Amino acid sequence: IAGITQAPTSQILAAGRRMTLRCTQDMRHNAMYWYRQDLGLGLRLIHYSNTAGTTGKGEVPDGYSVSRANTDDFPLTLASAVPSQTSVYFCASSARGGTGTDTQYFGPGTRLTVL
Amino acid sequence: GQNIDQPTEMTATEGAIVQINCTYQTSGFNGLFWYQQHAGEAPTFLSYNVLDGLEEKGRFSSFLSRSKGYSYLLLKELQMKDSASYLCAPEDSNYQLIWGAGTKLIIKP
């Protein structure tokens, strides 16, 4: 069981280019999340999905879009990358809707540099 | 507004005990998570507190006071591998986690 995988591991991207970060989980979790982490700041939520077919905006959604066509996949798209989107991006998932603690489990991250 | 306050950095000696404090203000509150994050890696779950009091899990314990908006993580018998950042994350009324910037813990021999 892999848990959560993300691709690519790292990427250097020219400003203005379109980029999709991939995230796949095999835990059959209902909820999935995209965060960005910048030096000196806490994780900031970009978008989330509480269940397949639904998405919501987090704290910093501008410039990003997501889709949740099925339970396992939650891609994050940068339509036209800008240098301020240089960051480490983490995907996470949680069971949500069950009993007990709704712990989030994280993928290994994607290090994105926009030049 | 929502705010998390943790020390930026702490230093401790191998074998000792360290307490990492976290104070928070959130829109509603369901519980509080602590995560560990080694440099260059993803956060990993350590503990979750929903009721007041101390939760013990091996060398790590976490305490919560809901009325004071306060939590701490206690690490005992420190090992070099405990060098990492520790993230405090209260869960608001919408079940979203509010993340602090984390406390970088440096363990010295």
Side-chain angles (χ1 to χ4, degrees), chain A residues 7-8 10-13 16-22 65 76-81 110 112:
Chain A
S10 65
Q11 182 75 44
I12 299 174
L13 189 66
R17 296 296 295 270
R18 180 184 179 89
M19 176 74 191
T20 295
L21 308 185
R22 300 185 297 280
S65 63
L76 176 74
T77 297
L78 289 68
S80 179
T110 294
L112 182 67

Side-chain angles (χ1 to χ4, degrees), chain B residues 10 19 21 28-29 35 38 41 69 74 83 94 98 107 109:
Chain B
M10 299 180 70
Q19 178 175 312
N21 296 323
F29 179 81
Y35 278 75
H38 285 101
E41 298 183 7
L74 190 71
S83 291
N94 293 318
I98 311 302
I107 310 297

Side-chain angles (χ1 to χ4, degrees), chain A residues 46-62:
Chain A
I46 304 171
H47 285 285
Y48 65 93
S49 169
N50 286 333
T51 189
T54 69
T55 62
K57 294 182 179 180
E59 179 187 357
V60 288
D62 294 344

Side-chain angles (χ1 to χ4, degrees), chain A residues 77-98:
Chain A
T77 297
L78 289 68
S80 179
V82 296
S84 61
Q85 292 178 311
T86 294
S87 188
V88 179
Y89 291 86
F90 287 105
C91 179
S93 71
S94 67
R96 186 64 65 89

